Amino acid sequence: MTWWEMLLLFAAGVGGGLTGSIAGLASVSTYPALLMVGLPPVTANVTNTVALVFNAVGSVRGSLPELAGQGPQLRRLVPMACLGGLAGAVLLLSIPAEGFENVVPVLLAVASIAIALPKGKNADVAPTKARTIAKAAIVGLICIYGGFFGAAAGVLLLALFLRTGANTLADANATKNVVLGASNGVAAVVFAFVASVHWPAVAAMGVGCLIGARLGPIVVRHAPSTPLRMLIAVAGLALAVKLGYDTYR
């Protein structure tokens, strides 16, 4: 790998870390960069997942103020995220990608619209046991997709947490960073042992992800919530259109 390819991956990592820790859109920057330097799609996918472990480290570190008091919720959700990431990684190594890719544009569009809409009156109601179980199950399903491919899994999680009780966008983003980080971490361990990870690319991109992801939660904490939600929603819809065009044409 040449020096300019390493520099490209580093820059893509910074961009991916920043967008991923803010909106869950890291792979929009990182995955195409890995393809651009010549990695085959599956190798790029697993390399991307491993590199995004650094994204989780930076984003969770930056989200510590918002994570205060979230321990009980995270203890329920993180195990489901880990199981989902494991299942997604196994699926990636076992079956073709078309089944998941066909439904992703629709899910992403719905999630983006959900982010744009204001919170309803029921969002702050104390969750029932049934709602808590349903929320954990949905997290598991999203994380299966995250372990399998991952593009925009963070947007789906962000929409879920915004609609199910998060007080602010920053709180929902912090929860998303931990849950997605757990899912990616488990999938990355699987890929590290049984898949063709390109480690020089991981090193270059991972450093960039760590830097960008550390800054993202600071932006979310201080930026006006409504304009930022709209920006995330527009970016998600644009990605949904792009993925839909690539998938259905």
Side-chain angles (χ1 to χ4, degrees), residues 65-165:
E66 288 77 23
L67 290 172
Q70 290 204 40
Q73 173 180 228
L74 293 174
R75 282 192 289 272
R76 292 191 297 269
L77 298 181
V78 167
M80 293 300 297
C82 292
L83 289 174
L86 176 61
V90 172
L91 284 173
L92 175 65
L93 300 174
S94 306
I95 65 174
E98 286 78 5
F100 277 91
E101 290 175 353
N102 288 340
V103 74
V104 167
V106 176
L107 291 176
L108 180 54
V110 171
S112 300
I113 293 170
I115 289 172
L117 293 175
K119 289 175 65 175
K121 294 181 180 180
N122 294 328
D124 297 322
V125 174
T128 64
K129 184 175 181 179
R131 287 184 179 180
T132 300
I133 293 173
K135 182 177 179 178
I138 294 170
V139 164
L141 291 173
I142 294 173
C143 289
I144 289 174
Y145 163 66
F148 184 84
F149 181 57
V155 177
L156 302 177
L157 289 171
L158 187 60
L160 174 65
F161 299 141
L162 277 173
R163 310 309 296 182
T164 56

Side-chain angles (χ1 to χ4, degrees), residues 3-224:
W3 68 267
W4 73 264
E5 290 175 327
M6 300 285 280
L7 185 60
L8 171 65
L9 294 179
F10 170 78
V14 173
L18 189 60
T19 57
S21 59
I22 293 174
L25 291 168
S27 292
V28 175
S29 170
T30 56
Y31 182 68
L34 291 166
L35 295 176
M36 193 179 298
V37 299
L39 298 188
V42 173
T43 301
N45 193 6
V46 299
T47 300
N48 185 56
T49 298
V50 176
L52 290 182
V53 170
F54 293 90
N55 190 37
V57 173
S59 62
V60 172
R61 177 65 184 83
S63 299
L64 289 180
E66 288 77 23
L67 290 172
Q70 290 204 40
Q73 173 180 228
L74 293 174
R75 282 192 289 272
R76 292 191 297 269
L77 298 181
V78 167
M80 293 300 297
C82 292
L83 289 174
L86 176 61
V90 172
L91 284 173
L92 175 65
L93 300 174
S94 306
I95 65 174
E98 286 78 5
F100 277 91
E101 290 175 353
N102 288 340
V103 74
V104 167
V106 176
L107 291 176
L108 180 54
V110 171
S112 300
I113 293 170
I115 289 172
L117 293 175
K119 289 175 65 175
K121 294 181 180 180
N122 294 328
D124 297 322
V125 174
T128 64
K129 184 175 181 179
R131 287 184 179 180
T132 300
I133 293 173
K135 182 177 179 178
I138 294 170
V139 164
L141 291 173
I142 294 173
C143 289
I144 289 174
Y145 163 66
F148 184 84
F149 181 57
V155 177
L156 302 177
L157 289 171
L158 187 60
L160 174 65
F161 299 141
L162 277 173
R163 310 309 296 182
T164 56
N167 292 323
T168 65
L169 176 62
D171 290 334
N173 188 61
T175 311
K176 176 265 295 178
N177 288 338
V178 174
V179 170
L180 190 60
S183 173
N184 276 349
V186 172
V189 170
V190 174
F191 295 151
F193 284 99
V194 301
S196 53
V197 176
H198 194 290
W199 292 106
V202 168
M205 183 169 282
V207 173
C209 282
L210 188 63
I211 295 171
R214 183 63 182 83
L215 299 175
I218 299 174
V219 174
V220 176
R221 186 174 302 128
H222 296 289

